[in-house]
Every structure is written in structure tokens, then in C-alpha cells.
Amino acid sequence: MSTPLDATAIETIQGFDAEKRYKHLVKEVVANREIWILIDEHGCVMLNTDEEDCVPVWPNKEFAEAWATGEWDNCKTEAISLNKWHSRWTHGLEDDELAIVVFPIQDQEGLVIYPDELDYELKNQAKKQR
């Protein structure tokens, strides 16, 4: 379980570009053993790019909550354990032909990657932290 982030840490991380946010997400998810999504009454929130339907993911509850404004203000944050992500989500997203948008923040897009790519990076990071 992650410790809450203070305002300074949030502001610093929001200054990262999309690539640096991706690297940060991988480290945080492995360290905290959880990844964050938004859900509504229909399930997991989706975003659409020109070419992909995507599930947005965040490394911490605070960033997911910050996204839940405007048309998403009825959404709730939900943590998914890293084990559950590996065992169910990666394959489920692939089967549904969905991509992942990594750590989008207001006024900046996140990187769009495929579930197997994120899975690979998470497993690599876990090996480094052993």
C-alpha cells in the first residue's frame, strides 16, 4: 500500500514528461504492489485516441483522483494488486484489444502502450528490486 503523496511531490511529478511519468509509474507500481484505475457504474473508465481504445492507469491514488473531474467526477478510484494485474488484467486487456494510456494528467497525454509491454516493464522492474 502506498503512502499518501504530499503537495510538493505531486507538483514535481506532474512536471515530468510522458516518458518520465511512465518510468515513475513502473517504479511506483512495483514498489507499492498496486496500480490505480478509475471506475464508474459501467466498470473501468476508458479513453479513446485516434487509433486505440485505452484504459488509463496511474501509480498513485492522488493522481487518479485528480483525473476524476468534469465528466468523470462520478468516478471512483480503485487499486488493483500487482498480482491481479499480471494474472487477469494484462490478458483481459489483450483479449479485448485494448491499449493502456499510462499516467495521463490534466493538459498532458500519457504514453499509449500495449498491455504486454507494461507487463514486461513491471516484471523487469520487480527483478531489479529483488
Side-chain angles (χ1 to χ4, degrees):
M1 178 128 182
S2 60
T3 51
L5 296 173
D6 63 33
T8 305
I10 291 170
E11 190 174 329
T12 299
I13 295 163
Q14 285 179 329
F16 292 175
D17 64 17
E19 185 68 36
K20 196 167 182 181
R21 287 197 317 275
Y22 177 43
K23 289 177 180 168
H24 177 79
L25 175 127
V26 168
K27 287 180 183 170
E28 284 290 295
V29 167
V30 171
N32 298 322
R33 312 249 345 120
E34 63 189 9
I35 192 165
W36 291 86
I37 61 167
L38 287 177
I39 58 169
D40 63 15
E41 68 273 9
H42 305 293
C44 185
V45 169
M46 305 275 289
L47 297 176
N48 305 91
T49 68
D50 291 339
E51 297 165 15
E52 303 287 349
D53 291 331
C54 304
V55 172
V57 297
W58 293 270
N60 309 88
K61 182 177 185 175
E62 292 86 349
F63 294 112
E65 285 176 336
W67 189 267
T69 61
E71 67 181 283
W72 292 289
D73 65 357
N74 64 331
C75 297
K76 294 179 175 38
T77 58
E78 182 171 294
I80 299 169
S81 74
L82 189 53
N83 288 342
K84 188 174 182 181
W85 184 266
H86 288 310
S87 67
R88 290 197 204 145
W89 278 78
T90 297
H91 300 297
L93 293 170
E94 287 177 326
D95 290 348
D96 293 340
E97 297 183 3
L98 297 172
I100 297 168
V101 61
V102 176
F103 199 171
I105 57 174
Q106 296 300 332
D107 305 321
Q108 278 195 50
E109 295 178 1
L111 287 179
V112 175
I113 62 170
Y114 293 101
D116 61 324
E117 293 175 85
L118 179 58
D119 204 58
Y120 175 81
E121 290 298 327
L122 292 170
K123 287 176 179 174
N124 253 12
Q125 183 65 29
K127 286 177 192 170
K128 290 179 190 174
Q129 290 187 0
R130 284 187 190 148

